[in-house]
Amino acid sequence: MSDMTVTLSDVAREAGVSLATASRAINGSANRTVRPELRERVLAAAARLRYSPDANAQAMARGRTTALGLIVHDIADPYFSTIASGVTAAAERAGLVVTLASTDRDAGRELAFVELMQRQRARAIIVAGGRHDDDAANRALADALVEYRSRGGGAAAVGQPLLGVDTVVIENRSATAELVRQLHGRGYRRFAVLAGPTAHLTAHERLDGFRTSLDDLGTPLDPDLVIPCAFTRDGGYEAMEQLIARGVVGRAGTGSGGSGQPVEAVFAVNDVMAVGAMAAARAAGLDVPGDVAIAGFDDIITLRDITPSLTTIRLPLADIGAMVTELALAPDNDAPRLVPVDGEVILRDSTPPLA
Amino acid sequence: MSDMTVTLSDVAREAGVSLATASRAINGSANRTVRPELRERVLAAAARLRYSPDANAQAMARGRTTALGLIVHDIADPYFSTIASGVTAAAERAGLVVTLASTDRDAGRELAFVELMQRQRARAIIVAGGRHDDDAANRALADALVEYRSRGGGAAAVGQPLLGVDTVVIENRSATAELVRQLHGRGYRRFAVLAGPTAHLTAHERLDGFRTSLDDLGTPLDPDLVIPCAFTRDGGYEAMEQLIARGVVGRAGTGSGGSGQPVEAVFAVNDVMAVGAMAAARAAGLDVPGDVAIAGFDDIITLRDITPSLTTIRLPLADIGAMVTELALAPDNDAPRLVPVDGEVILRDSTPPLA
DNA sequence: TTGTATGCGTTATCAA
DNA sequence: TTGATAACGCATACAA
């Protein structure tokens, strides 16, 4: 029945000092205006009584909390969980505690979580995860964040700079452009792209950089070879199946139908899709990269040992998590700061030099 | 300069009602003893003033919060992030918000986080992740949880039932025993085990079930072929290198040295270690499963498409997250409830039937 | 350096 | 059904 909560008043009484003195002795704030002897007495009393300060009461009295909100689409996705690890590490350094929301890409839940963090008086909110091409949803979220910031909260995002807050901007276009150049250097000319959802901005940017770069090199991408699909492993699998069914991907040397020459390489806009595509290729009896080369994006750490090793674009996800945390916590700026982050092309065995 | 916080008093004044009425109208608690007309007026005033209830003040007045603490070793690890996704989903259903700590396997930080959650007056704490064979650390954590529970908090764990709280117990031994039986059925007799850290209880249990089952089948495991290593991809890689260097794993048909017959299959106590082992085998020019079969544990979703597909033991990680959440939130029991969860052996191409 | 008293924003108790 | 008013547990301005 020790459910009786021990309060600071109890500690003060036990130590024979006033509430104020007990408070000062225990939080040990800037101006430590408490005699060492008393201080000891208070600390001893607190220990004796197993006193545990009530963070909620402190938050109310101080007018600020120690919480940091983190919104991800899906914490089980390695992309987000790696960012989250960077965020938790940075938050711990800042003495903050991370409150996590995994919203399953539901705009309504994102909004609800921002409002929840507003109620919790969280110090800052971090929105990780690419936006969709849904102006209404983006504007609603942006508005909620404006409101939140107007009330003193910090906010930052990773992905596209669409929310009006400090953002770690992933340079998707330049990264895929560079990938194209390097694949070109290895002799690849004819590509297909597993493009993800049309409305998915990250997917779109990756496709766009890829396409633009191919245009620049004078070997434009055939629009028929851009396959929209889900941003998931299954999406990659099914899109690859389509390519195979249409005969644009098949046994090497077999100019099997489709529109002219067969595709030499398939670019999936993320790694898990690329892995799905590999699985589909194998299921169809094709060899990767013998029959078709495959490249992805993200360099998910768990996938670094797959066979054949996957050509991809590395993003420093944990660092990104740390960066966005610092942005969210930085003193309020008038104009949103944009911190660009480049991807690094990693050529591996899934796209060997073409003979 | 709308930094002026709108309080419930403001809403009450704006609506021309008392503070009490405003409170009742807005939280809409069980006994809705407020006239619809007034209620509307209050809600309208709240909306007009963009009122946002202060969760900390509510927590203090109500005497309970809406927070749920989750401790994982490493949120970037797919094992934990998948459990975390189950926890966040269940927590949302319960109207709770998840506070996340990624402790990097640091016992001190685990303890600190429990105390932090105690200060936050969190409703419950979930400890995910296997214990180490460190009695002092386990006891300290158990004590902290006892203290926490004595103050009204809920607590639950996943892994070993060593913390004195409700636990989702992973039946590691029976799972690996079943794996052995099935591999036996496919003709395997001579195994090596990449065993993880000796003090790691989960690793130990998996090894133990494996070994015991082999004993029962009359084909005991050679102790020299149990390689301690880190519980990581690199640990698996290095342990496999050792086996190769010692000549107990090598080209099929090449009875190359070592102690007698070469190893037919290598069991790694988790999937990422198994993948590391595969990488080491390939780096040494060996074929999997041609030269050596490999099996893992966990059935990490991101790894389901690797080649060759990995024989492993599936754990319903997201469900486990949901289950442990329910345990943590369930009304206080005297004796710790133990909920066993079985793994399901999934035979795949990395351990084909032996000729 | 210490103590007193007030406020933080809400809920809940008690009268009206 | 509504309204004063007292908690809730702590920090802090002000006084001593």
Side-chain angles (χ1 to χ4, degrees):
Chain A
M1 214 52 75
S2 62
D3 202 6
M4 260 302 300
T5 354
V6 176
T7 76
L8 190 54
S9 306
D10 299 327
V11 175
R13 190 175 331 110
E14 171 86 3
V17 302
S18 77
L19 178 60
T21 300
S23 175
R24 293 190 267 251
I26 284 186
N27 77 19
S29 77
N31 41 353
R32 45 182 308 293
T33 63
V34 68
R35 195 161 23 126
E37 176 202 327
L38 272 196
R39 181 184 198 73
E40 290 311 316
R41 232 164 64 202
V42 172
L43 263 35
R48 211 173 314 131
L49 267 42
R50 315 197 118 274
Y51 168 69
S52 166
D54 184 322
N56 292 298
Q58 290 183 316
M60 202 166 72
R62 290 185 176 137
R64 67 196 151 77
T65 67
T66 167
L68 172 69
L70 171 61
I71 303 180
V72 299
H73 287 165
D74 176 11
I75 191 60
D77 182 326
Y79 176 89
F80 293 112
S81 69
T82 309
I83 291 179
S85 79
V87 171
T88 55
E92 185 177 335
R93 267 179 256 128
L96 299 182
V97 79
V98 174
T99 292
L100 174 69
S102 192
T103 60
D104 212 20
R105 294 178 173 71
D106 179 331
R109 286 159 79 180
E110 291 184 342
L111 212 54
F113 186 73
V114 170
E115 279 157 11
L116 183 56
M117 288 301 98
Q118 162 67 52
R119 285 203 283 274
Q120 307 277 12
R121 305 297 187 256
R123 286 269 275 280
I125 295 178
I126 291 172
V127 183
R131 301 288 83 207
H132 275 257
D133 184 14
D134 178 342
D135 281 349
N138 290 338
R139 188 155 34 227
L141 188 56
D143 286 349
L145 290 173
V146 164
E147 173 86 24
Y148 176 73
R149 295 187 62 215
S150 78
R151 285 153 124 109
V158 24
Q160 289 83 25
L162 297 177
L163 297 176
V165 300
D166 296 345
T167 303
V168 175
V169 180
I170 311 288
E171 300 285 10
N172 289 305
R173 286 192 177 79
S174 58
T176 46
E178 176 62 20
L179 174 63
V180 164
R181 270 177 242 119
Q182 297 209 21
L183 291 180
H184 233 259
R186 284 195 164 186
Y188 292 90
R189 294 293 179 273
R190 193 163 163 78
F191 296 89
V193 176
L194 314 187
T198 326
H200 193 294
L201 292 184
T202 294
H204 175 76
E205 289 177 2
R206 292 176 182 182
L207 163 62
D208 195 52
F210 202 87
R211 177 166 41 204
T212 303
S213 185
L214 278 175
D215 287 345
D216 292 347
L217 290 171
T219 56
L221 184 60
D222 181 343
D224 283 346
L225 299 182
V226 174
I227 316 295
C229 58
F231 204 64
T232 61
R233 179 267 179 202
D234 288 349
Y237 189 97
E238 288 159 16
M240 190 64 157
E241 279 184 326
Q242 279 188 42
L243 286 176
I244 294 168
R246 282 164 47 183
V248 294
V249 165
R251 284 271 158 60
T254 312
S256 53
S259 38
Q261 299 300 312
V263 158
E264 295 159 341
V266 170
F267 169 57
V269 295
N270 71 38
D271 278 1
V272 292
M273 288 171 59
V275 168
M278 275 193 190
R282 277 193 301 267
L286 299 178
D287 177 61
V288 178
D291 294 316
V292 60
I294 293 183
F297 198 118
D298 287 341
D299 197 31
I300 294 302
I301 197 165
T302 314
L303 293 175
R304 288 191 190 159
D305 282 313
I306 65 169
T307 317
S309 58
L310 183 63
T311 286
T312 188
I313 292 164
R314 173 172 301 175
L315 291 180
L317 293 173
D319 293 343
I320 287 170
M323 293 167 64
V324 71
T325 306
E326 279 158 24
L327 280 182
L329 261 28
D332 206 6
N333 243 31
D334 6 307
R337 283 160 294 213
L338 301 185
V339 179
V341 169
D342 288 315
E344 177 193 0
V345 173
I346 313 271
L347 293 178
R348 297 205 183 98
D349 298 342
S350 67
T351 61
L354 230 43
Chain B
M1 216 52 76
S2 62
D3 201 6
M4 258 304 298
T5 355
V6 176
T7 75
L8 190 55
S9 306
D10 299 327
V11 175
R13 190 176 329 111
E14 170 85 5
V17 301
S18 79
L19 178 59
T21 300
S23 175
R24 292 190 267 250
I26 283 185
N27 77 19
S29 77
N31 41 353
R32 44 183 309 292
T33 64
V34 68
R35 196 164 20 129
E37 175 204 329
L38 272 195
R39 181 185 197 73
E40 290 311 315
R41 231 165 65 203
V42 171
L43 261 36
R48 211 174 314 131
L49 268 43
R50 316 197 119 271
Y51 168 68
S52 165
D54 185 321
N56 291 109
Q58 290 182 316
M60 200 165 74
R62 293 205 250 247
R64 69 195 146 78
T65 67
T66 168
L68 172 69
L70 171 62
I71 304 182
V72 300
H73 288 164
D74 176 11
I75 191 61
D77 182 325
Y79 176 89
F80 292 113
S81 68
T82 309
I83 291 179
S85 77
V87 171
T88 55
E92 185 177 336
R93 267 179 257 128
L96 300 182
V97 77
V98 174
T99 293
L100 174 70
S102 191
T103 60
D104 213 19
R105 294 177 174 70
D106 179 331
R109 286 159 78 180
E110 291 184 341
L111 211 53
F113 186 73
V114 170
E115 280 158 11
L116 183 55
M117 288 302 97
Q118 163 67 51
R119 286 203 284 273
Q120 307 277 12
R121 305 296 188 257
R123 285 269 273 281
I125 297 178
I126 291 171
V127 183
R131 301 286 81 207
H132 276 255
D133 182 14
D134 178 342
D135 281 349
N138 289 339
R139 188 155 34 227
L141 187 56
D143 286 350
L145 290 174
V146 164
E147 173 85 24
Y148 176 73
R149 295 186 63 215
S150 76
R151 287 153 122 111
V158 23
Q160 290 82 27
L162 297 176
L163 297 176
V165 300
D166 295 345
T167 303
V168 176
V169 180
I170 312 288
E171 299 286 11
N172 290 303
R173 283 192 178 81
S174 58
T176 47
E178 177 61 20
L179 173 64
V180 164
R181 270 176 243 120
Q182 298 210 20
L183 291 179
H184 233 258
R186 283 195 164 186
Y188 291 90
R189 294 294 179 273
R190 196 165 160 77
F191 296 90
V193 176
L194 314 187
T198 324
H200 193 294
L201 291 184
T202 294
H204 175 76
E205 288 177 2
R206 293 177 182 181
L207 164 61
D208 195 51
F210 202 88
R211 178 165 41 203
T212 302
S213 184
L214 278 175
D215 285 346
D216 292 348
L217 290 170
T219 56
L221 185 61
D222 181 344
D224 283 346
L225 299 182
V226 174
I227 316 294
C229 58
F231 203 64
T232 61
R233 180 267 179 201
D234 288 350
Y237 189 97
E238 289 159 14
M240 190 63 157
E241 279 185 325
Q242 279 187 43
L243 287 175
I244 295 167
R246 281 165 48 182
V248 294
V249 166
R251 284 270 157 60
T254 313
S256 52
S259 36
Q261 299 301 311
V263 158
E264 295 159 342
V266 170
F267 169 58
V269 294
N270 70 39
D271 279 0
V272 293
M273 288 171 59
V275 167
M278 275 193 190
R282 278 193 301 267
L286 299 179
D287 177 62
V288 178
D291 293 318
V292 61
I294 293 183
F297 199 119
D298 288 341
D299 197 31
I300 295 301
I301 197 163
T302 314
L303 293 175
R304 287 190 189 159
D305 283 311
I306 64 169
T307 318
S309 58
L310 182 63
T311 287
T312 187
I313 292 165
R314 174 172 301 176
L315 291 181
L317 294 173
D319 293 342
I320 287 171
M323 293 168 65
V324 71
T325 305
E326 278 157 26
L327 280 183
L329 261 29
D332 207 5
N333 243 31
D334 6 304
R337 283 160 292 215
L338 301 185
V339 178
V341 169
D342 287 315
E344 177 192 359
V345 173
I346 313 270
L347 293 179
R348 298 205 184 97
D349 298 343
S350 67
T351 61
L354 232 42

